[in-house]
Amino acid sequence: KAGVTQTPRYLIKTRGQQVTLSCSPISGHRSVSWYQQTPGQGLQFLFEYFSETQRNKGNFPGRFSGRQFSNSRSEMNVSTLELGDSALYLCASSLVAGGRYEQFFGPGTRLTVL
Amino acid sequence: DQQVKQNSPSLSVQEGRISILNCDYTNSMFDYFLWYKKYPAEGPTFLISISSIKDKNEDGRFTVFLNKSAKHLSLHIVPSQPGDSAVYFCAASRANFGNEKLTFGTGTRLTIIP
C-alpha cells in the first residue's frame, strides 16, 4: 500500500507570495491533518480534515488555510508569506479503528521564505 | 502553553544498552499516547502507542510505560542499536472519534554510540 505523498518536496518563495502544498493520503484513509515543524517548536497542529470538512484547527493565523477533496486529497495554502513561515510542513493521514489511533506521515514539504 | 513536554533535547547511549526517553503532559483529558521516530528529511514514523487504560505496552525492543497519576510516559529501547539514532517525539490525543488532533512534544535527539 502506498504511503502518504506530499508535493512538492522543496519550495522557495519570497515574502508576500502565496503557496499551495498538496497531500495524498493512504488509500482508504479519510482523515488528513497538517502540521508545521520548526526547530525547537516540535510539530504544531495546523488543521484536520475529514470528508471534506475541517474538524479541528490549531492556533495559526487566517493566512493558513486548507481544503480536502472528495478523493481525500488535501491542499494547504499560505498567503502573504512571512519569513517565519519557513518550516517543514507535514501531512498525515489516519484510520481510526476500534479506538486505536495512529497517524501516518508523509515526507513533508520544506518551505523556505526569503 | 506546551501541554506535552520532552525536557531532554538530546540523549546519548552506548550501543547495546537501554535508552530511556521521557515525556510529561499536563492535560488530564489526554487518553491516548504515541511515540514517533523521525530521521532527517523524512516524516515521523509511528513506533508504539498506549491507551490510558494500560500502564505498559511492549513491541519488540520498544516498551512504553504510562504513569497516569504523574502524567508521565517513557519509551524504553532495549537493546539500543545504531539505527535507533533519530529524533523521538511523544504525542498525545483524545482517542474519541472526531478528535484526531495530536499534540506533540518538542522531541529528543537520541544518539547511539557504537
Side-chain angles (χ1 to χ4, degrees):
Chain A
K1 191 184 259 193
V4 178
T5 58
Q6 291 187 246
T7 56
R9 290 294 310 276
Y10 302 92
L11 207 47
I12 298 175
K13 293 284 188 179
T14 56
R15 277 182 300 173
Q17 287 187 308
Q18 78 162 20
V19 67
T20 299
L21 311 181
S22 181
C23 171
S24 292
I26 291 172
S27 177
H29 286 194
R30 295 169 62 193
S31 170
V32 174
S33 298
W34 289 89
Y35 294 86
Q36 180 196 65
Q37 185 187 11
T38 54
Q41 291 294 316
L43 282 75
Q44 303 289 315
F45 174 77
L46 281 155
F47 27 67
E48 186 254 343
Y49 287 87
F50 183 88
S51 293
E52 303 177 64
T53 301
Q54 186 182 88
R55 290 198 302 184
N56 277 301
K57 190 176 190 308
N59 297 323
F60 279 81
R63 300 185 297 107
F64 292 82
S65 63
R67 59 177 175 167
Q68 186 181 35
F69 302 95
S70 57
N71 61 359
S72 294
R73 191 177 70 84
S74 177
E75 289 181 347
M76 69 162 278
N77 185 276
V78 189
S79 63
T80 320
L81 284 166
E82 300 176 359
L83 294 178
D85 296 334
S86 293
L88 180 67
Y89 290 88
L90 291 158
C91 163
S93 71
S94 67
L95 176 66
V96 178
R100 182 173 176 269
Y101 167 79
E102 62 187 74
Q103 290 186 341
F104 296 87
F105 284 82
T109 294
R110 171 74 62 185
L111 172 65
T112 301
V113 181
L114 303 175
Chain B
D1 174 32
Q2 193 70 30
Q3 297 187 64
V4 178
K5 301 175 185 179
Q6 294 177 257
N7 293 317
S8 297
S10 63
L11 176 68
S12 294
V13 174
Q14 207 78 31
E15 181 180 357
R17 305 294 292 268
I18 182 172
S19 295
I20 301 176
L21 296 100
N22 294 304
C23 179
D24 298 292
Y25 61 96
T26 58
N27 189 339
S28 57
M29 298 301 290
F30 289 144
D31 54 8
Y32 199 79
F33 305 89
L34 308 91
W35 283 94
Y36 283 83
K37 172 181 177 180
K38 187 179 185 301
Y39 293 118
E42 294 183 14
T45 302
F46 170 76
L47 270 178
I48 192 169
S49 62
I50 188 167
S51 163
S52 59
I53 62 172
K54 300 175 123 180
D55 54 19
K56 176 183 173 181
N57 190 25
E58 197 170 348
D59 185 0
R61 297 186 298 115
F62 302 93
T63 303
V64 56
F65 295 91
L66 175 62
N67 182 333
K68 288 191 293 293
S69 60
K71 294 192 180 70
H72 176 84
L73 63 154
S74 61
L75 174 68
H76 293 209
I77 306 174
V78 183
S80 300
Q81 298 174 354
D84 296 332
S85 294
V87 177
Y88 289 78
F89 291 96
C90 76
S93 79
R94 297 170 63 178
N96 296 326
F97 181 75
N99 202 346
E100 277 82 18
K101 172 184 171 180
L102 283 179
T103 301
F104 282 84
T106 52
T108 296
R109 181 176 301 278
L110 175 65
T111 302
I112 305 302
I113 305 164

